Every structure is written in C-alpha cells, then in structure tokens.
Amino acid sequence: MISTYDNYTKVFKALCDEQRLRILELLRDGEKCACVLLEQLDIGQSGLSYHMKKLVDSGVVESRQDGKWTHYKISEKGSAYAGELLKKLTTPNSVIEENNCCKR
Amino acid sequence: MISTYDNYTKVFKALCDEQRLRILELLRDGEKCACVLLEQLDIGQSGLSYHMKKLVDSGVVESRQDGKWTHYKISEKGSAYAGELLKKLTTPNSVIEENNCCKR
DNA sequence: ACCTCATATCAAAAATTATTGATATGAGGT
DNA sequence: ACCTCATATCAATAATTTTTGATATGAGGT
C-alpha cells in the first residue's frame, strides 16, 4: 500500500538510528569523504554505504562524486524540509474539535 | 551500550511509523480519547496502546487520565523540543573543517 | 589491458520493531 | 463483593531494519 505517510516516515527513519546520528554529527564539521567517515566510525564499509544511502534518500544529506570518492554533507534544503515537516505534523489544526467523549 | 544518541533517536523513532503519523494527524484536531482513536484507525486495541506508549515516551504526545479513559493530545513542549533537536542535529558547527581529503 | 582503490550491491544472519490474541489491572457502577 | 468497561501488559509471531562478509562496479593509474 502506498500512502502519503510513507514519504513522511522516510525522513524520520533516516534520523532514528544511532549510527546515522553519529554520521550527522561528523558532517556538522563540514563535508567529508566516505573514507574519512569510515575511519571515524566503528563500522564496516558496506555498513557505512547502507547508512549513507538512507541519509541521502531522505534528503537530509547530499552526496557529491569526485572520481572514485564520494563526499557527503548535510543538505541545508533537506534539513529545512525535515524541520517544516516536523512542524506541520505536530501543529494543531486551526479549528480544534472539542473532546466531548468519555467524560465522567 | 548507553549513549546520548539513544535519547535522540527516541524522538524520531516515534515519528518514523505510519500508524503513529496517522495518530498524530488525528490528534491535530485536538485532544482525543483512546476509544475515539481506536474507531478512527484500522488497528487493534493493544496495538493502539503500544503506539501511544511510544508517542508519549518520546514526549511528542501527552496523556491525561480521566477515570477509566485515557485522553491524548500533542504536546506543545515536546514538539518544540523535537524541532530544536532536529535543528541542532542538522546545523553545521560554527567552525567548519576543510575537506582536504581525497582530491584529484 | 590490467591492476588497484573507493564505494555500491547482494545475500544471509542477527537484531529490532510491530502486530495479534490472550490475559491482567484498575476504575466506576450495581 | 461483583460485574463491566477501558486500557495496559504479556507472549508469540510476523515484518522490517541493521549488520556482516563476499562480490560487483567503475574510476584512475601503469
């Protein structure tokens, strides 16, 4: 089943893993090559690749290819989108229904 | 292993499930009793309870007990915290390291 | 063309999370 | 005290995600 929420969850799924938050923390220092991330994280090469894919697919991180190296950095645009999405999902609607149900 | 990221992931884990986003969507209309959520979602009672626990534990939703009923609503404070956390995690540090590695 | 290096993909196993049905708890009413 | 209703918890299963090692791809150098 395809639903709108599927797109929404993708962003948060990217952020709900410890390894990926560690990666994000490293990327806050600026753009980094996969090989640098690899030596700064206690993780294998294929594992890193897996996580980077999730981060890039979510839009929060963007990648740049240079020869055989891949460089990653936090995407300003993607992060902003994530922020807006979070806000949208947690902001009450303008017309609030009264909770008349189940009163004593 | 206990890490700081563990606390961080909790918030996003709450938001990375479709069912829980549906629940959040319903709660944007205002506070609702579990029994109302139950009839508006295609989900079982124990399942709802499971998801509500995740949402409440993350801080994004707060619950209020009234007799035998439990009412839920979006927590303004918790949502704001989630937003700040997201921002914190995706905002580059003031001092950006240069990416000297792996140039052609 | 061949070799090497960086990264991606694949497939299997391990770990985590979600679903489901059964049972427990605890509040209010009789 | 007992019954009923709303919700929580538990235990088993199912589904999804992560980890790991092996292999594939594709760029640059010789």
Side-chain angles (χ1 to χ4, degrees):
Chain A
M1 181 182 57
I2 298 166
S3 89
T4 323
Y5 294 115
D6 208 40
N7 299 305
Y8 295 171
T9 54
K10 195 190 274 187
V11 175
F12 301 113
K13 277 184 181 171
L15 299 172
C16 77
D17 177 86
E18 288 196 38
Q19 298 278 28
R20 291 195 287 272
L21 290 195
R22 278 192 206 100
I23 292 166
L24 229 42
E25 177 66 38
L26 292 175
L27 291 180
R28 291 181 63 207
D29 288 336
E31 189 182 60
K32 282 186 179 167
C33 173
C35 60
V36 171
L37 292 172
L38 200 49
E39 68 190 20
Q40 295 185 327
L41 292 160
D42 187 20
I43 194 182
Q45 186 272 318
S46 69
L48 178 65
S49 187
Y50 169 80
H51 288 300
M52 294 322 291
K53 191 172 161 58
K54 293 248 159 181
L55 283 167
V56 170
D57 284 354
S58 78
V60 173
V61 167
E62 53 190 83
S63 70
R64 175 176 66 85
Q65 211 69 30
D66 181 31
K68 49 182 173 175
W69 295 284
T70 313
H71 299 265
Y72 298 99
K73 67 175 175 187
I74 295 175
S75 163
E76 215 180 303
K77 205 168 169 181
S79 305
Y81 172 72
E84 283 157 26
L85 185 56
L86 177 53
K87 187 151 220 164
K88 173 178 162 184
L89 292 169
T90 57
T91 300
N93 290 322
S94 45
V95 180
I96 295 294
E97 289 172 18
E98 233 198 301
N99 181 11
N100 288 317
C101 155
C102 311
K103 287 183 179 171
R104 266 200 277 198
Chain B
M1 183 181 56
I2 298 167
S3 90
T4 323
Y5 295 113
D6 207 41
N7 298 306
Y8 296 170
T9 54
K10 196 189 276 187
V11 175
F12 301 113
K13 277 182 181 172
L15 300 172
C16 75
D17 178 86
E18 287 196 38
Q19 297 278 28
R20 291 195 287 272
L21 289 195
R22 277 191 206 102
I23 293 167
L24 229 41
E25 177 66 37
L26 292 174
L27 292 180
R28 290 180 64 207
D29 288 338
E31 189 183 60
K32 280 185 180 169
C33 173
C35 59
V36 172
L37 292 173
L38 199 50
E39 69 189 22
Q40 296 186 324
L41 294 160
D42 187 19
I43 194 181
Q45 186 272 319
S46 69
L48 178 65
S49 188
Y50 169 80
H51 288 300
M52 293 323 291
K53 191 172 160 59
K54 294 247 158 180
L55 283 167
V56 171
D57 285 353
S58 79
V60 173
V61 167
E62 54 190 82
S63 69
R64 176 175 66 85
Q65 211 68 29
D66 182 30
K68 48 183 175 173
W69 298 284
T70 313
H71 300 264
Y72 298 98
K73 67 175 174 187
I74 293 175
S75 164
E76 214 180 305
K77 205 170 171 180
S79 306
Y81 172 73
E84 285 156 25
L85 185 56
L86 177 54
K87 187 149 219 164
K88 174 178 161 184
L89 291 170
T90 57
T91 300
N93 290 322
S94 45
V95 180
I96 297 293
E97 291 171 16
E98 233 198 300
N99 182 11
N100 288 317
C101 155
C102 310
K103 285 185 181 170
R104 267 199 277 197

